[in-house]
Amino acid sequence: MIFDNMVKFDLIYLIERGDSMDEILHQPGFFGTSANFAADFTLVMMILIASLFTVGVVLAVKKKYDTHRWVQTAAAILNAIMVLWMMVLPYRDFVAPGIPAQLAERFHAITTLHAFVGFFALTFGLFVTLRGNGLVPKALKFKNYKAFMRVAYGLYMLTTILGIWVYSTWFVGNPNPPTY
């Protein structure tokens, strides 16, 4: 066939070929940078999750609160999964050992800023999500829900922008990127 000699980035093909998830994640990425598949996949997923949060905001503005709650809850859960699965270990292995000695270096500074803001975005966002679903004790409930949602959304968007900056720092124009 004409396609036999082409490099395949088809996930189903890799699975059918018998590659493990670890092997798939360590394949070359699909954006043409020095990133692996895991980093490119993470970038795409986080942008999609940020878009999902934005859809949720639009739903709230249109007063479709029940659908808004479901969309925001799904986005918050997906975000937590991605952070725990694809971000915590690379930070631990590649950045944390250089703290505080290398914090003045761009690689460590940007990634640590992203992790710091992201920690608060994730924690606060999950709290707001739990509150929105009525899953917090009475003592932790708040009245001005709109303000809390706006802060959570702002933190998520800031973290996403910082994440794109991290990706650029790690993988664009970096011939020897950290790979996990």
Side-chain angles (χ1 to χ4, degrees):
M1 295 214 104
I2 198 166
F3 298 107
D4 285 346
N5 294 326
M6 292 182 68
V7 176
K8 294 188 178 185
F9 291 104
D10 184 354
L11 186 58
I12 295 170
Y13 168 78
L14 294 172
I15 292 169
E16 286 173 352
R17 194 173 74 179
D19 288 1
S20 70
M21 182 59 77
D22 189 54
E23 291 170 325
I24 292 169
L25 293 174
H26 289 88
Q27 296 283 328
F30 45 87
F31 283 135
T33 65
S34 56
N36 60 18
F37 184 89
D40 285 356
F41 172 74
T42 300
L43 179 65
V44 168
M45 286 300 297
M46 297 314 287
I47 291 171
L48 288 174
I49 291 167
S51 300
L52 198 54
F53 279 124
T54 302
V55 167
V57 168
V58 170
L59 289 167
V61 169
K62 291 183 175 188
K63 300 188 184 323
K64 297 183 179 189
Y65 299 119
D66 195 48
T67 308
H68 158 79
R69 182 173 54 86
W70 282 101
V71 168
Q72 297 304 75
T73 299
I77 291 169
L78 285 171
N79 184 65
I81 290 168
M82 289 302 297
V83 168
L84 295 173
W85 180 35
M86 299 296 257
M87 294 183 194
V88 171
L89 293 178
Y91 185 85
R92 181 198 69 188
D93 294 347
F94 297 114
V95 182
I99 305 295
Q102 297 172 311
L103 195 53
E105 295 175 17
R106 184 174 185 222
F107 172 84
H108 287 82
I110 293 168
T111 308
T112 300
L113 176 63
H114 171 62
F116 182 78
V117 174
F119 171 79
F120 287 104
L122 179 65
T123 305
F124 187 71
L126 288 175
F127 169 70
V128 171
T129 302
L130 290 171
R131 165 59 181 91
N133 285 286
L135 299 173
V136 296
K138 192 172 188 170
L140 295 176
K141 291 187 177 180
F142 47 84
K143 300 263 189 226
N144 190 358
Y145 195 63
K146 189 181 285 188
F148 281 81
M149 287 188 299
R150 287 178 176 167
V151 169
Y153 178 73
L155 285 170
Y156 274 125
M157 293 304 108
L158 177 59
T159 303
T160 301
I161 291 166
L162 290 171
I164 293 167
W165 193 15
V166 167
Y167 179 92
S168 297
T169 300
W170 282 35
F171 303 115
V172 177
N174 184 359
N176 298 311
T179 55
Y180 192 75

